[in-house]
Amino acid sequence: MTLSTYEQQHRMRRRWDNFKVLDRTKTAIQWEGELQPQSQPYTVEILHRLNRQNRRGRHPMPEVRVTAPRLRRRSSQPDQPIPHVYVNEQTPYLPLLCLHDLASDEWHPRRSIADTIVPWTAEWLWRYEFWLRTGIWPERD
């Protein structure tokens, strides 16, 4: 069964009390919070919409973007794109994070965002910082 926005909000508050609700309706919820995987804190925004399916009939995962500091390309390779992001057509300078293999069905709205999306985002940020330093995007084990 799909978790309601109220249930998602409750679970998020219990595990990540630094994430604040920006907006919540019956069909959508949006948070903003801070994660610091290694060297610096990042402000992250998560938007979760219920009752949506993509072209394959799957439930699209919540949209996650880093709002501050802005993600950047490696200074030594400015033509190389940032790995594992999607173009955000509404705000192209804030790409959406690719947190898992969409074909794997790891995400479903019955899963807690606090237990999946937020830890996956912290892991993504750790990999991003590693990539900035080394040019290598660490793969999952």
Side-chain angles (χ1 to χ4, degrees):
M1 183 165 128
T2 298
L3 295 177
S4 70
T5 58
Y6 173 79
E7 291 167 315
Q8 291 285 10
Q9 179 180 354
H10 177 71
R11 291 175 185 213
M12 184 73 89
R13 187 181 312 125
R14 277 196 339 224
R15 183 154 182 203
W16 302 94
D17 64 351
N18 65 321
F19 272 76
K20 305 302 177 203
V21 173
L22 299 177
D23 189 30
R24 183 174 71 85
T25 66
K26 284 186 175 185
T27 60
I29 186 166
Q30 185 173 16
W31 291 274
E32 183 178 77
E34 191 173 273
L35 294 172
Q36 184 169 350
Q38 287 184 56
S39 62
Q40 75 174 58
Y42 295 87
T43 302
V44 174
E45 193 176 282
I46 300 170
L47 173 60
H48 176 48
R49 295 183 186 114
L50 296 177
N51 306 325
R52 288 181 51 217
Q53 289 187 346
N54 63 21
R55 284 176 261 156
R56 295 182 180 152
R58 293 192 174 115
H59 299 276
M61 64 180 284
E63 295 177 3
V64 180
R65 62 186 61 79
V66 176
T67 57
R70 285 191 186 168
L71 299 177
R72 59 185 169 84
R73 296 175 183 211
R74 296 185 72 235
S75 57
S76 63
Q77 296 174 309
D79 293 336
Q80 181 183 14
I82 300 167
H84 299 276
V85 295
Y86 298 108
V87 174
N88 180 351
E89 298 196 11
Q90 292 177 331
T91 49
Y93 56 90
L94 297 175
L96 302 173
L97 306 188
C98 176
L99 300 175
H100 72 91
D101 178 7
L102 296 177
S104 71
D105 276 341
E106 286 180 284
W107 166 252
H108 191 280
R110 70 177 162 261
R111 297 197 66 193
S112 164
I113 290 168
D115 295 336
T116 56
I117 300 301
V118 178
W120 294 347
T121 301
E123 181 181 347
W124 189 98
L125 291 166
W126 179 87
R127 292 171 191 277
Y128 168 74
E129 287 188 357
F130 188 87
W131 171 77
L132 281 176
R133 286 192 316 276
T134 67
I136 298 168
W137 189 271
E139 296 301 320
R140 281 184 152 174
D141 295 332

